[in-house]
């Protein structure tokens, strides 16, 4: 859970142990202050008469106990809602329509400056391998951790100064990633850049109302080469959902990165494993001294959200711990309350109260505490979640069911915690209860 940039080195950071020691002492003192004040406030005569619960400050002490319990449940409710929100956003980011197909595709790089000598030969060999649907030589994947910008301008609108992302590849690149054309055609087969595709975002920036309007227009590439726009691509995410979709151009040219779409993997078979093994063999036939390092594109996309996944894991642990502490606090308050109302319970049973009536009477006050905690925690969690989601250009909605699920879950846990003691107290022998001092 430790984020990059932080390190824990006990030998070189001895002050950490001093901090932990002081923290333990501080927590111990703060934990002991409240019961110490309560116990020191009892009058010896009343204690000897077993009337230790008769105290002029009893109402105030009750409110303190209830406030502490509510505070614990507020923290627990907050963590539950926050965990659900973070998990929902991660799920949204991993399963959102990225504008391209990322499943079943591997990428790997060729040794530099060898594309022209062996690139096409390897591509031809890979396309004949059983289990390979299609392959392409190009540059970065549509969405990649790396970025590459091109100096592109449009003579009709020289004032437009946008950072333009660039991708390139052969004519199969679009087929590998199933990129969709809105207008025009694919780039021509060529080893050098001759024509351009632009995405719909860039077409709108250039002022074209319809995708077809961009076809045939010329863009100045790298300040000295005029290249025609021959097609417009549907927008696709070029980075994580943190960032908005960039204006982009795509051109036909060879690169040093292979993109291989594998045929669908049948359950219970090793189709992908066998195909990758054969791709590796073909690679080593041309590059016997080079390492074959490949990566699945969907795993690379998932790596965009490593930080969020660590956050979700940390929140899950914090949620479990806060729920445990809250339930322990509630259990302690229930036991205390039942001990002070033992005779009352006995009298009610003698007068005809049923077990369910007793349980209801004992539980309703505690259920109110859990509901109050939810009312306090919900708006706080909503605000924090809203601010956290602002970091994503494309984000999920804060759904109402998150709050309903959180509140219902905590209420159920509270009822389970309550039932252990309330059922026992309600079923106790009333005669024994009346003899309790």
């Amino acid at each position: 859970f430790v984020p990059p940039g932080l390190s824990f080195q006990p030998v070189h950071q001895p002050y950490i142990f001093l901090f932990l020691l002081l923290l333990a002492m501080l927590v111990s003192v703060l934990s002991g202050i409240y019961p110490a004040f309560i116990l020191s406030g009892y009058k010896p005569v009343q204690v000897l008469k077993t009337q230790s619960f008769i105290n002029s400050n009893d109402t105030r002490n009750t409110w303190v106990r209830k406030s502490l319990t509510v505070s614990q449940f507020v923290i627990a409710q907050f963590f539950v809602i926050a965990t659900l929100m973070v998990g929902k956003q991660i799920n949204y980011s991993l399963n959102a329509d990225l504008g391209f197909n990322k499943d079943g595709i591997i990428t790997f790089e060729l040794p530099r400056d060898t594309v022209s000598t062996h690139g096409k030969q390897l591509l031809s060999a890979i396309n004949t391998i059983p289990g390979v649907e299609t392959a392409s030589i190009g540059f970065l994947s549509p969405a990649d951790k790396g970025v590459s910008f091109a100096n592109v301008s449009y003579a009709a609108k020289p004032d437009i100064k946008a950072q333009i992302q660039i991708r390139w590849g052969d004519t199969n690149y679009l087929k590998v990633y199933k990129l969709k054309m809105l207008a025009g055609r694919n780039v021509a087969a060529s080893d050098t850049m001759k024509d351009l595709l632009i995405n719909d975002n860039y077409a709108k920036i250039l002022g074209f109302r319809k995708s077809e309007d961009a076809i045939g227009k010329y863009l100045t590439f790298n300040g000295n080469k005029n290249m025609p726009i021959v097609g417009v691509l549907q927008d696709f995410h070029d980075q994580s959902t943190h960032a908005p979709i960039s204006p982009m151009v795509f051109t036909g040219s060879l690169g040093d990165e292979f993109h291989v779409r594998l045929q669908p993997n049948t359950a219970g078979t090793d189709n992908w494993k066998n195909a990758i093994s054969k791709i590796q063999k073909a690679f080593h036939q041309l590059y016997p001294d080079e390492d074959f390092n490949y990566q699945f594109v969907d795993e690379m996309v998932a790596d965009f959200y490593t930080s969020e996944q660590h956050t979700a894991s940390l929140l899950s642990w914090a949620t479990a711990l806060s729920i445990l502490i809250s339930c322990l606090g509630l259990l302690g308050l229930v036991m205390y309350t039942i001990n002070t109302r033992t005779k009352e319970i006995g009298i009610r049973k003698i007068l005809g109260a049923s077990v369910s009536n007793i349980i209801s009477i004992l539980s309703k006050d505690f259920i109110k505490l859990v509901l109050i905690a939810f009312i306090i925690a919900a708006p706080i969690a909503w605000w924090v979640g809203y601010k956290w989601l602002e970091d994503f250009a494309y984000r999920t909605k804060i759904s109402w069911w998150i709050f309903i699920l959180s509140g219902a879950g905590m209420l159920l846990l509270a009822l389970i915690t309550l039932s252990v003691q309330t059922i026992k107290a309600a079923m106790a022998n009333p005669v024994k209860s009346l003899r309790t001092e």
Side-chain angles (χ1 to χ4, degrees), residues 228-273:
I229 300 172
V230 297
V232 177
L233 289 169
Q234 179 178 298
D235 286 337
F236 56 85
H237 288 269
D238 54 289
Q239 299 177 64
S240 74
T241 52
H242 283 281
I245 293 174
S246 306
M248 180 173 291
V249 297
F250 178 86
T251 185
S253 180
L254 297 182
D256 59 1
E257 188 163 351
F258 267 70
H259 308 267
V260 183
R261 169 172 289 281
L262 304 174
Q263 293 178 356
N265 198 25
T266 307
T269 63
D270 293 327
N271 293 349
W272 284 3
K273 183 178 179 181

Side-chain angles (χ1 to χ4, degrees), residues 147-203:
V147 293
S148 181
F149 296 102
N151 181 14
V152 182
S153 60
Y154 181 45
K157 292 196 174 183
D159 56 323
I160 295 177
K161 304 292 184 183
Q163 282 192 319
I164 313 301
Q165 282 255 37
I166 184 171
R167 298 289 188 271
W168 63 77
D170 61 20
T171 54
N172 275 342
Y173 186 95
L174 273 62
K175 186 178 178 181
V176 169
Y177 288 102
K178 298 185 179 180
L179 296 172
K180 297 177 181 178
M181 297 284 296
L182 298 179
R185 62 168 175 82
N186 197 356
V187 291
S190 174
D191 293 346
T192 58
M193 301 177 183
K194 288 185 176 181
D195 45 24
L196 294 171
L197 305 180
I198 63 174
N199 66 350
D200 191 43
N201 183 15
Y202 191 29

Side-chain angles (χ1 to χ4, degrees), residues 195-370:
D195 45 24
L196 294 171
L197 305 180
I198 63 174
N199 66 350
D200 191 43
N201 183 15
Y202 191 29
K204 288 183 170 61
I205 290 175
L206 294 177
F208 300 115
R209 294 185 178 181
K210 297 180 180 179
S211 301
E212 295 81 3
D213 297 340
I215 307 302
K217 303 299 188 295
Y218 280 79
L219 297 179
T220 302
F221 194 79
N222 287 335
N224 56 16
K225 187 175 183 179
N226 290 328
M227 299 174 64
I229 300 172
V230 297
V232 177
L233 289 169
Q234 179 178 298
D235 286 337
F236 56 85
H237 288 269
D238 54 289
Q239 299 177 64
S240 74
T241 52
H242 283 281
I245 293 174
S246 306
M248 180 173 291
V249 297
F250 178 86
T251 185
S253 180
L254 297 182
D256 59 1
E257 188 163 351
F258 267 70
H259 308 267
V260 183
R261 169 172 289 281
L262 304 174
Q263 293 178 356
N265 198 25
T266 307
T269 63
D270 293 327
N271 293 349
W272 284 3
K273 183 178 179 181
N274 294 334
I276 293 172
S277 177
K278 292 176 180 178
I279 293 171
Q280 182 178 11
K281 183 178 179 180
F283 177 88
H284 281 141
Q285 285 178 347
L286 296 173
Y287 306 102
D289 299 325
E290 300 291 339
D291 293 330
F292 178 73
N293 299 312
Y294 70 93
Q295 183 178 23
F296 278 93
V297 174
D298 58 347
E299 292 178 353
M300 179 180 65
V301 172
D303 287 343
F304 290 163
Y305 309 102
T306 300
S307 175
E308 287 76 14
Q309 290 171 340
H310 286 170
T311 300
S313 299
L314 184 58
L315 279 174
S316 297
W317 282 100
T319 300
L321 184 60
S322 62
I323 289 175
L324 175 62
I325 294 174
S326 299
C327 289
L328 287 174
L330 181 63
L331 181 62
L333 186 58
V334 171
M335 294 174 66
Y336 171 82
T337 302
I338 289 175
N339 285 337
T340 60
R341 299 177 68 176
T342 302
K343 288 187 177 180
E344 176 193 338
I345 294 169
I347 294 172
R348 286 181 181 275
K349 291 196 69 175
I350 290 174
L351 294 177
S354 64
V355 172
S356 60
N357 291 143
I358 300 295
I359 293 174
S360 175
I361 292 169
L362 292 174
S363 300
K364 64 181 182 180
D365 288 339
F366 302 112
I367 297 302
K368 287 179 183 178
L369 298 181
V370 178

Side-chain angles (χ1 to χ4, degrees), residues 123-143:
L123 180 64
S124 178
I126 289 175
N127 276 316
T128 62
I129 293 174
V132 172
E133 186 173 311
T134 186
S136 168
I137 305 177
F139 185 45
L140 300 175
S141 302

Side-chain angles (χ1 to χ4, degrees), residues 11 50 52 81 115 118 141 187 242 245 267 269 271 280 352 378 398 402:
V11 176
T50 67
S52 58
I81 296 172
V115 177
H118 297 306
S141 302
V187 291
H242 283 281
I245 293 174
T269 63
N271 293 349
Q280 182 178 11
I398 303 179
I402 291 177

Side-chain angles (χ1 to χ4, degrees), residues 40-100:
S40 62
Y42 289 147
K43 296 179 181 180
V45 175
Q46 291 179 335
V47 173
L48 292 175
K49 289 182 178 181
T50 67
Q51 297 175 0
S52 58
F53 294 112
I54 301 175
N55 194 304
S56 60
N57 294 327
D58 188 59
T59 301
R60 179 178 60 82
N61 294 334
T62 299
W63 277 106
V64 171
R65 286 189 290 271
K66 289 182 177 180
S67 298
L68 291 173
T69 301
V70 168
S71 300
Q72 290 175 334
F73 272 96
V74 166
I75 295 171
Q77 290 274 15
F78 172 83
F79 277 126
V80 171
I81 296 172
T83 301
L84 291 174
M85 284 188 182
V86 171
K88 189 169 183 283
Q89 175 60 36
I90 292 174
N91 184 67
Y92 171 84
S93 298
L94 292 177
N95 297 290
D97 182 6
L98 301 178
F100 67 94

